[in-house]
Amino acid sequence: MSRFQVKKVAVLGAGVMGAQIAAHLVNVRVPVVLFDLPAKEGPKNGIVSRAVENLKKLKPAPLGDVADAALIEQANYEDDLAKLGECDLVIEAIAERMDWKLDLYKKIAPHVASHAILASNTSGLSITKLSEALPEALKPRFCGIHFFNPPRYMFLVELINTPTTEPQVLDQLEAFVTSTLGKGVVRAHDTPNFIANRVGIAGMLATLKEVEKFGLTSDVVDDLTGKKLGRASSGTFRTADVVGLDTMAHVIKTLQDNLDEKSDPFYPNFATPPVLAKLLELGNLGQKTKAGFYKKAGRDILRFDLAEEEYVPSGQKADEVYGRMLKKPAGQRLKLLRESEGAQGQFLWAILRDSFHYAAVHLATIAESARDIDFAMRWGFGMKQGPFELWQEAGWKQVATWIQEDIDSGKALSSAPLPKWVFEGPVAEAGGVHTPQGSWSASKNTFVPQRRLPVHERQLFPESVLGANAPDANEAGTTIQDEGDVRLWTLDGEVLIASIHSKMHAISPDVAEALSAAVDLAEKDYKGLVIWSPDEMFSVGADLQAMLPAFVVAGISAVEGAEEEMQKVMLKIRYANVPVVSAVRGLALGGGCELAVYSAKRVAAMESYIGLVEVGVGLVPGAGGLTYIARRAAENAAASTGTDILPFLTEGFTAAAMAKVGTGALDSKKLGYLLDSDVIVPNKDELLYVALQQARAMADAGWRPPLRRAFKVAGRSGAATIKGQLVNMRDGGFISQHDFHIASLIAHVVTGGDVDAGSLVTEDYLMALERKAFCSLIVHPKTQERIMGMLSTGKPVRN
């Protein structure tokens, strides 16, 4: 079967979602043309032009590199419809108006290529009704696609078919969305608001109902329903402000307009809550209008009080007893909350019960299986666990009994009983909806396995649900050695994998020693070495806490010795006789960044945050980071027509001196921590697969490490130029005296110390300068203030 290739995409509608979808397509290097109506005044593409310019200002940034905004091709419906014929995928993302969408389909249908997929990005309109406006030839290639906002960062994408959608069309689109766009796909039935918004918004409405019932304030509720509950840290009301209260109201209206008590027994709870109605009336739409459930006044955060119809001081926290309850195992936790006499505990039990109840009642109609609901809530609403996972972990039968007792006694939001499958048959016998054989499909009355397309073979350890007994990456493969907080293992006997499992993957002397042993073992028995860990962290750098006891006992010589050993490990990795590939995901800071840049290659997930941040604790990079900056500047200068190294050094110096962190892989590439030859992987679950492939390919191509060679530095004159600029910053009050001192030491190292411009130096020479600067700072009182402040509060101290 021929492979479906997406060479170019058209996005119709340059509004908030359309423009950001186009931005993400550019992030993953897919050519895109963005359409909108012709402007009534000025250039025809004025509407699109303004939308593209706005992308550069948005936070969080939709573009990995703002310069890439220029890559979005601009078009309008009057002059450019022929361009649709060049596109393999057309995503319609105009306003959520059925009539507008249908009119647009009639206009574009003759121009869509005969092989192209047409998909509507809608948060809840009927995909089947939308398809009715299309010619018969296009209906099999039409479906729904629901990106969550913001599209760059939200992992969830829902795909929705119609009765006439060809199955292979959804398979082709899922493959593209999964691997190229880096998303997690859930296939939803064509019901109002699909899965995530259906369950999530019903849950928010239920929460608002229970808030009224128990008389709690928004700040207390957010404290209860954030991280403590295993949900997004913003909680309920702050999340609503971020999403936008107008957006929330629109999704609620979709439920109100398309459901009734017959189709949804929870329908009476879908009335617009009075507090939301009042805020909408006031035009307070959340973060976008700087006022919603909360408003900032100077440094104070105020909350909206409906009774007073004004903003009042916020900042109340939940009772500590409930925080302790929420740390208990799931079964104990729910029992304690259900039996709690306090309003906060009763509220927590109520919203959890409501979520279990709603998901169970609607499973048959909105999703193929319970797994889809749990994934949708995890990926779309930031929950640590989906409702079915938590229910199953807490004890399926016991929790089901509690829910039904509350329904029977009138405490629940609906009198609808739990479905029979909850208490009888395979689910009851298995003790839950998730099993190794698959997850429960209420519509098919059986457990269904997770869908496996060819693209999924790239995911060696994909996300799974509790109860599925999926392979655990921490125990998979063949363990060769597991000492010093580093597990050495292999999946295929060809490439060795090193997984750091210290807290936050900090690099202690033991970790450094284990990595050194990993290189030795890889050189002896394997084609290559991949450094990868199966969670949202590469490494936060050196373990300062592990270093302090040695400093107290043996003084600065112990620190210098530890730094020298760390530097030797970095050089050992760089000059290894097998390719060392760092598979970077999440944070790679300080020593983690140094570990990555000294590898032969980096394979980085799209959302990788890489940087040398030692300045934040009053230090300089000490494991080769500054040496890397100097060497890269020399290499870039040698490849250019100029002879002056300083211009090539400025960016690296600035990044280290200001502790700049790349806000994603594309930005990290701009800072020089990733190279053009490195690989950026959109889907985090494909990272290990790609890294292993790269290591094998490099070995099979006859890998040889780079030769050790001396390189030119900018010398004392370059250092003087940099320090002159630092003096201006210090005297202007932009940096402190200690910042000036640290930055001057960085300048001294990266320019090669007290040598002439153009002098040749070695990595060993520069690393000795690094160690000297690092050790001079660690005994400095102001640096010690910064270190202790970071260790005690987790926040940088400015002194």
Side-chain angles (χ1 to χ4, degrees), residues 67 74 76 149 183 203 277 292 295 298 303 433 454 531 544 702 710 743 752 787:
Q74 301 180 17
N76 65 81
N149 191 22
K183 302 302 179 186
K295 181 173 78 170
R303 65 174 175 83
V433 291
I531 303 171
L544 291 174
I787 292 173

Side-chain angles (χ1 to χ4, degrees), residues 305-610:
D305 185 294
L306 181 60
E308 301 289 334
E309 293 194 5
E310 64 182 15
Y311 289 89
V312 300
S314 73
Q316 291 185 62
K317 298 290 183 182
D319 291 344
E320 289 183 9
V321 65
Y322 299 109
R324 292 195 293 272
M325 283 184 189
L326 291 172
K327 291 179 181 178
K328 300 284 186 183
Q332 292 181 40
R333 187 190 323 157
L334 296 194
K335 186 175 188 295
L336 288 168
L337 293 175
R338 186 170 188 267
E339 295 174 355
S340 169
E341 294 183 0
Q344 294 177 24
Q346 292 175 17
F347 162 77
L348 284 170
W349 160 250
I351 63 171
L352 291 171
R353 175 205 63 214
D354 296 341
S355 70
F356 302 152
H357 188 191
Y358 194 86
V361 167
H362 290 290
L363 174 58
T365 55
I366 68 174
E368 181 184 57
S369 76
R371 178 180 49 249
D372 294 322
I373 288 182
D374 281 347
F375 275 161
M377 299 313 295
R378 275 162 49 175
W379 298 342
F381 278 79
M383 292 185 177
K384 188 176 179 182
Q385 289 180 302
F388 287 119
E389 289 180 288
L390 176 56
W391 180 352
Q392 182 165 330
E393 185 185 5
W396 183 265
K397 292 180 181 178
Q398 179 60 78
V399 174
T401 300
W402 288 339
I403 298 168
Q404 192 59 53
E405 285 175 0
D406 280 10
I407 295 169
D408 295 340
S409 62
K411 293 180 182 177
L413 292 180
S414 169
S415 60
L418 289 174
K420 285 185 179 180
W421 57 260
V422 171
F423 296 102
E424 303 170 4
V427 171
E429 292 165 12
V433 291
H434 301 307
T435 71
Q437 293 72 43
S439 294
W440 183 250
S441 173
S443 57
K444 296 179 179 177
N445 207 38
T446 188
F447 293 105
V448 296
Q450 193 162 351
R451 182 179 294 102
R452 297 296 291 179
L453 301 174
V455 69
H456 296 139
E457 299 307 313
R458 296 166 59 87
Q459 300 182 8
L460 301 180
F461 300 100
E463 284 198 53
S464 188
V465 285
L466 180 89
N469 291 357
D472 182 352
N474 293 302
E475 301 173 357
T478 302
T479 298
I480 310 301
Q481 180 181 311
D482 195 353
E483 298 174 5
D485 280 330
V486 177
R487 178 184 178 226
L488 303 183
W489 57 292
T490 183
L491 281 171
D492 57 7
E494 289 191 333
V495 179
L496 186 66
I497 304 168
S499 296
I500 304 171
H501 51 74
S502 55
K503 185 179 180 182
M504 300 183 78
H505 304 172
I507 304 173
S508 65
D510 285 348
V511 169
E513 187 177 339
L515 290 172
S516 177
V519 175
D520 291 337
L521 184 60
E523 288 182 329
K524 178 174 174 286
D525 294 330
Y526 296 89
K527 283 186 171 183
L529 171 65
V530 167
I531 303 171
W532 172 85
S533 298
D535 54 21
E536 300 289 341
M537 186 81 64
F538 183 70
S539 172
V540 295
D543 188 344
L544 291 174
Q545 285 182 309
M547 195 181 290
L548 288 177
F551 174 54
V552 171
V553 173
I556 197 64
S557 61
V559 174
E560 185 171 7
E563 282 301 297
E564 186 171 9
E565 288 305 310
M566 186 90 80
Q567 291 173 342
K568 286 179 180 177
V569 172
M570 297 301 172
L571 290 176
K572 191 171 187 177
I573 287 170
R574 172 166 165 74
Y575 294 108
N577 285 311
V578 291
V580 179
V581 177
S582 278
V584 180
R585 173 180 170 189
L587 300 177
L589 306 178
C593 174
E594 289 166 320
L595 182 57
V597 299
Y598 274 85
S599 298
K601 198 178 194 91
R602 287 137 298 278
V603 174
M606 181 65 71
E607 297 309 319
S608 296
Y609 303 88
I610 307 174

